[in-house]
Amino acid sequence: MKPLILIVVYLVAVTLPLILSAVVGGPPRQFHQELASGLGILAFSMILVEFILSGRFKAISNGVGMDVTMRFHQVMARTALVFAVLHPFLYQGTPTGGERPWDPTRQLTLTTDFADLATGIAAWLLLAGLVVMAIGRTQLGYRYETWRLLHGVGALLIAVLLLHHTVYAGRYGSQPVMTWVWLAMTGVAVGSLLIVYLVVPLLQKARPWRVTSVVRLTPKQWQVTVTPDGHRGLDYQAGQFAWLNVGHSTFSMKENPFSICSAPADGPEISFMIKELGDFTRTVGQIEAGTVAYVDGPYGNLSVDGRTEPGVALIAGGVGLAPLLGILRQMRRTGDSRTVRLIYGNRVIEQIACREELDEGLREGSGEGSGEELGKENVVYVLSEPPADWQGEAGFIDAALMDRVFSEQEFSEWVFVMCGPAIMMDIVEDHLIKRGTPPHRILSERFNYD
């Protein structure tokens, strides 16, 4: 789906309950009461739409990019939390109590029924905890699988609790029309969870894969290759990623997103470049050939397929080489005529992965000038801690390096594709914009946002 269409759909979904509430809710109350109700309604509808922005629906994430989808998911969750926090405090000064003869629709008073209020309070606390856990997941030291389970269960509880609170404690939610609207929206949200955690695993069970090889690329990086077992495999574009589950049930939480480093033109086998970082990745070297695996994908839009720019700049930091290696391999296999230049940064020389393969078709270049002067293909290796006899670039991938490697014309005409540490991508993106590179020619992929 196009980004503009997605924005319109999001705005309609989030504001529809607010608009309908204004139509069926009766005479207006004091401004602070209406504002309190409005913020509560918006918070609930935004939370329900968050289920769809989980990143596991390709029509959304592949249309605008996984990093954009997940960043939007995070920002909207925090915005909903702000609205939810303000919501109860804006009711201060409003009389409370049960149903009164002169106020049967609670236009002037708020309910004091504890059961109706308790579900809202519980959801309020859970939402705050969920956001804090998401922001501080790395610092809190949660295993990824544990965090993912808690995040999903917590979100489900919040939706159910808010549904009860909205219908039984809210002036607007108690209206029959609004009750059905909230039931429908909550049903869609819960249904999206069922799709991700029940339907997709069932479909995966019918499409298993088998590990064919596990190869060490560097002291802490591996290439894991899987082949389809009894089916055609995955229809993907070079540069995309998939969720990989090795040796576990399809219903297990033990799946992780990894970029595909193989080329679609190589056949049905797909390969992932994996760096030892977390609980699963530290055991990659122990995976045996023949182990059953499951793949959910492809996701992301980090692809240069169908683009018309005369040159492709690939900028990688560490394991961020994975999707760019897939792009490079595909361009080679298909005889792509575009000029390609790879800038590949690491800390030490031992961390350079696939160097022999890169050097087969790329002539190392460090110089100034255009792609024609450097050749159709060239690679620039960058080390922050180079050995004494190092002949390549030293330091980091920064603005100065970009200016040495790319000409003014290339900045304006080429497509720049990058993946790596957040600080590297921030620096490169800022400099590209400064040098006049159009935003639609800057493609990036991030898996960490805070």
Side-chain angles (χ1 to χ4, degrees):
M1 295 179 70
K2 298 295 185 181
L4 182 58
I5 297 176
L6 290 173
I7 292 173
V8 172
V9 171
Y10 178 83
L11 291 175
V12 170
V14 167
T15 59
L16 179 62
L18 186 64
I19 295 170
L20 290 177
S21 295
V23 173
V24 303
R29 300 168 296 178
Q30 294 181 8
F31 175 75
H32 69 92
Q33 294 176 338
E34 296 295 354
L35 180 59
S37 293
L39 290 178
I41 291 169
L42 283 174
F44 188 20
S45 59
M46 290 169 71
I47 288 168
L48 293 178
V49 177
E50 285 289 280
F51 285 76
I52 310 300
L53 296 176
S54 64
R56 299 303 287 266
F57 296 95
K58 298 172 188 175
I60 298 174
S61 60
N62 288 5
V64 298
M66 177 62 78
D67 50 352
V68 174
T69 302
M70 294 311 299
R71 189 57 179 170
F72 190 74
H73 174 84
Q74 289 181 325
V75 171
M76 290 301 101
R78 296 169 197 181
T79 303
L81 176 59
V82 172
F83 289 172
V85 168
L86 293 174
H87 164 68
F89 294 106
L90 287 171
Y91 280 120
Q92 288 186 356
T94 303
T96 59
E99 185 173 315
R100 301 179 184 183
W102 61 87
D103 187 27
T105 60
R106 292 203 307 272
Q107 294 180 35
L108 304 176
T109 60
L110 296 176
T111 180
T112 53
D113 188 310
F114 181 74
D116 298 342
L117 295 175
T119 51
I121 295 170
W124 191 81
L125 295 173
L126 272 174
L127 178 60
L130 210 64
V131 172
V132 170
M133 284 178 59
I135 294 174
R137 179 171 65 88
T138 304
Q139 293 82 351
L140 292 171
Y142 281 97
R143 289 169 57 114
Y144 175 75
E145 295 83 5
T146 302
W147 172 82
R148 187 179 169 206
L149 177 62
L150 291 174
H151 197 75
V153 173
L156 178 60
L157 284 174
I158 289 171
V160 174
L161 290 169
L162 283 179
L163 176 62
H164 178 273
H165 175 72
T166 301
V167 171
Y168 288 97
R171 173 201 181 190
Y172 295 107
S174 62
Q175 299 292 328
V177 172
M178 293 312 304
T179 298
W180 282 109
V181 168
W182 288 122
L183 281 169
M185 291 185 66
T186 304
V188 171
V190 174
S192 71
L193 277 185
L194 293 177
I195 290 174
V196 172
Y197 293 107
L198 181 61
V199 176
V200 171
L202 285 172
L203 294 175
Q204 286 181 331
K205 200 170 183 63
R207 294 172 57 85
W209 297 68
R210 295 284 174 180
V211 175
T212 55
S213 66
V214 179
V215 179
R216 185 189 292 273
L217 300 176
T218 71
K220 288 192 175 184
Q221 292 185 91
W222 302 81
Q223 179 170 291
V224 177
T225 301
V226 297
T227 189
D229 185 1
H231 57 93
R232 294 177 54 196
L234 194 68
D235 183 14
Y236 69 100
Q237 294 181 330
Q240 291 188 296
F241 73 94
W243 291 75
L244 178 65
N245 174 344
V246 179
H248 300 284
S249 163
T250 55
F251 298 98
S252 170
M253 291 288 175
K254 295 182 178 180
E255 59 172 358
N256 296 271
F258 297 111
S259 293
I260 301 171
C261 65
S262 54
D266 283 336
E269 280 194 340
I270 59 175
S271 298
F272 301 89
M273 183 184 292
I274 301 174
K275 183 178 181 179
E276 295 181 18
L277 288 173
D279 298 306
F280 164 70
T281 55
R282 292 193 184 97
T283 65
V284 170
Q286 303 170 21
I287 298 174
E288 297 181 356
T291 301
V292 66
Y294 298 98
V295 177
D296 177 23
Y299 293 95
N301 64 350
L302 199 71
S303 171
V304 298
D305 291 0
R307 301 189 70 100
T308 59
E309 291 87 355
V312 178
L314 306 175
I315 304 171
V319 74
L321 174 69
L324 309 190
L325 183 60
I327 292 173
L328 179 60
R329 286 170 168 170
Q330 179 71 1
M331 292 179 71
R332 288 180 176 177
R333 304 296 188 272
T334 59
D336 198 303
S337 61
R338 289 172 290 183
T339 302
V340 59
R341 187 168 307 147
L342 170 65
I343 301 179
Y344 181 23
N346 285 285
R347 184 174 62 85
V348 295
I349 195 170
E350 291 79 14
Q351 293 176 335
I352 298 177
C354 304
R355 187 169 186 180
E356 289 186 8
E357 178 184 352
L358 295 177
D359 288 342
E360 281 179 8
L362 297 180
R363 179 169 64 83
E364 184 172 354
S366 62
E368 306 167 355
S370 67
E372 288 72 25
E373 293 170 345
L374 287 171
K376 177 180 176 293
E377 299 182 353
N378 58 84
V379 61
V380 178
Y381 296 107
V382 186
L383 296 180
S384 58
E385 298 179 14
D389 59 348
W390 178 246
Q391 299 298 312
E393 290 280 352
F396 299 93
I397 300 177
D398 55 17
L401 174 66
M402 296 287 290
D403 286 338
R404 288 196 298 273
V405 173
F406 298 102
S407 67
E408 192 73 30
Q409 183 177 1
E410 290 164 350
F411 274 123
S412 63
E413 295 182 355
W414 283 24
V415 58
F416 290 78
V417 190
M418 68 193 78
C419 187
I423 187 171
M424 179 206 81
M425 292 197 289
D426 288 341
I427 291 172
V428 172
E429 286 178 348
D430 289 345
H431 189 64
L432 288 174
I433 293 173
K434 181 180 177 181
R435 293 302 304 266
T437 305
H440 68 274
R441 289 184 180 155
I442 303 174
L443 309 180
S444 63
E445 185 169 83
R446 303 167 187 260
F447 289 103
N448 294 305
Y449 307 94
D450 293 297

